[in-house]
Amino acid sequence: MTFRPDPAAWRLCVAPMMDWTDRHCRYFHRLLSPHARLYTEMVTSAALVHGDRLHLLEHSHEEHPIALQLGGSEPAELAQAARHGAAAGYDEINLNVGCPSDRVQSGRFGACLMREPALVADCVRAMREAVEVPVTVKCRIGVDEQDEYADLQRFAEAMLGAGVEVLVVHARKAWLQGLSPKQNREVPPLDYARVYRLKREFPQLTVVINGGITALAQLRGHLAHVDGAMLGRAAYHDPYLLAEADAALWGGTPPTREAALRAMRVYVEAELARGTRLKHIARHLLGLYHGQPGGRAFRRILSERAHRDDAGWEVVEAALDAVQAPARDAA
């Protein structure tokens, strides 16, 4: 299907991160940032077509705008998975062409697909024909021996030919052999200039840059060259950065850390009532007081007490009290 994306809709995004950006994390991030575009963890098309769709697609209404990220390389299966995602209410279907892990490679999806732009284009066409929501692609600037801008250029041309209008580009090349995914987070170096060039030469593309963005000043700098910026680990380890970025880009005053935390109470208690353990939610809150007085005590209390079978909101209150104690003592 054809759509004309508003580039502003991708101005601030939170990257899909395996084991991190689950529905509890996304709900918390939405409280911090009303405007950021949120992404699910990657879900394989096979799991979605043949597995527990209700579980895999579960999300809260409050999370929107939210994108479902799919991994796969079989056009018909991806199209079916995309239909399930659109039917579940997701605002975007994103194809992963950037993950370098061995498990992903063995399934012939993720970053290894950058070597096969024609196949990726076929996948995108099938998905676009299946759904009316935007179908986007998240890729790298290259993979292994692909070390020239021309490789990224050819990939972008193939995506445009398939109808892609939004491309999220992780500005680091993926090494599929010889480096672990963890090592590949730091090596080889980031090449933001290559992504900027892509935007200049393909102005019709909405280009979102990803990789190594850890501060508001960096984010602002990137937005002078591309349409959007996607925060990854920084949004998880220092989530209040999302609140500051949202206020800087759209105006208004960010909620205080305490206000954002207390706004989680209704959600947490509802989840506890349905059998969710506090530890599954609390782990996403650990970085809220990153770099703040009392932040270490906040993390320690949540880490030590949230895993208990009977842990409830009182654990969060205790962690918050530990943060506020230094200010009370100083007064």
Side-chain angles (χ1 to χ4, degrees):
M1 303 294 291
T2 300
F3 76 101
R4 294 189 177 279
D6 175 5
W10 283 268
R11 200 174 183 196
L12 176 64
C13 305
V14 179
M17 293 178 281
M18 293 298 292
D19 299 322
W20 288 1
T21 51
D22 63 16
R23 61 188 179 89
H24 308 310
C25 176
R26 298 190 305 263
Y27 189 95
F28 180 49
H29 283 175
R30 177 59 68 222
L31 290 175
L32 293 166
S33 172
H35 298 93
R37 200 168 189 88
L38 306 179
Y39 286 72
T40 70
E41 303 169 88
M42 184 187 68
V43 180
T44 67
S45 55
L48 201 51
V49 170
H50 305 291
D52 184 352
R53 285 197 296 276
L54 288 178
H55 172 69
L56 293 170
L57 295 174
E58 185 177 7
H59 64 284
S60 303
H61 174 75
E62 291 83 357
E63 294 173 40
H64 294 275
I66 179 175
L68 170 67
Q69 189 183 67
L70 295 177
S73 59
E74 208 290 311
E77 185 177 74
L78 279 166
Q80 188 175 351
R83 277 192 292 269
H84 291 314
Y90 284 90
D91 303 295
E92 169 191 342
I93 308 297
N94 178 265
L95 181 62
N96 184 317
V97 191
C99 182
S101 77
D102 293 338
R103 183 171 65 85
V104 166
Q105 291 180 59
S106 66
R108 198 189 177 200
F109 54 91
C112 63
L113 285 176
M114 290 205 70
R115 297 196 190 105
E116 302 183 74
L119 174 59
V120 178
D122 288 342
C123 292
V124 168
R125 288 190 192 95
M127 296 163 73
R128 292 185 72 243
E129 289 173 2
V131 301
E132 296 185 5
V133 298
V135 174
T136 65
V137 172
K138 187 174 189 294
C139 66
R140 295 286 187 129
I141 57 172
V143 58
D144 290 343
E145 72 282 352
Q146 293 180 347
D147 204 23
E148 301 294 333
Y149 172 74
D151 296 308
L152 179 60
Q153 183 182 49
R154 282 190 290 271
F155 184 83
E157 288 171 347
M159 295 306 97
L160 275 172
V164 170
E165 297 187 63
V166 180
L167 195 62
V168 182
V169 186
H170 187 143
R172 177 176 278 118
K173 188 172 68 169
W175 278 106
L176 303 183
Q177 302 294 333
L179 288 179
S180 70
K182 182 178 180 180
Q183 292 170 319
N184 199 189
R185 294 182 194 139
E186 306 294 337
V187 179
L190 290 155
D191 188 349
Y192 295 132
R194 192 174 295 190
V195 185
Y196 298 165
R197 180 179 174 183
L198 185 74
K199 177 59 186 180
R200 289 197 305 271
E201 297 187 5
F202 295 90
Q204 66 273 51
L205 268 177
T206 295
V207 175
V208 180
I209 197 166
N210 172 228
I213 304 171
T214 59
L216 187 55
Q218 281 180 289
L219 190 150
R220 287 182 181 276
H222 289 309
L223 291 178
H225 302 278
V226 294
D227 302 290
M230 177 176 275
L231 301 177
R233 285 172 291 158
Y236 193 82
H237 295 307
D238 184 12
Y240 197 68
L241 176 60
L242 281 174
E244 295 172 325
D246 195 290
L249 297 178
W250 283 278
T253 302
T256 64
R257 289 175 172 84
E258 180 181 351
L261 186 63
R262 291 196 180 282
M264 281 290 289
R265 180 168 185 167
V266 172
Y267 178 84
V268 168
E269 292 185 336
E271 284 295 317
L272 293 175
R274 65 183 290 205
T276 302
R277 298 274 298 280
L278 181 63
K279 65 179 182 179
H280 297 304
I281 304 172
R283 68 189 185 98
H284 302 303
L285 311 177
L286 294 175
L288 180 59
Y289 285 89
H290 174 80
Q292 300 297 302
R296 186 170 298 177
F298 176 83
R299 290 192 301 274
R300 185 183 67 251
I301 289 172
L302 284 184
S303 297
E304 291 177 353
R305 302 184 191 177
H307 71 279
R308 298 173 183 171
D309 291 342
D310 61 347
W313 181 255
E314 74 283 349
V315 173
V316 182
E317 287 286 356
L320 183 58
D321 185 68
V323 171
Q324 296 170 337
R328 287 199 305 269
D329 293 344

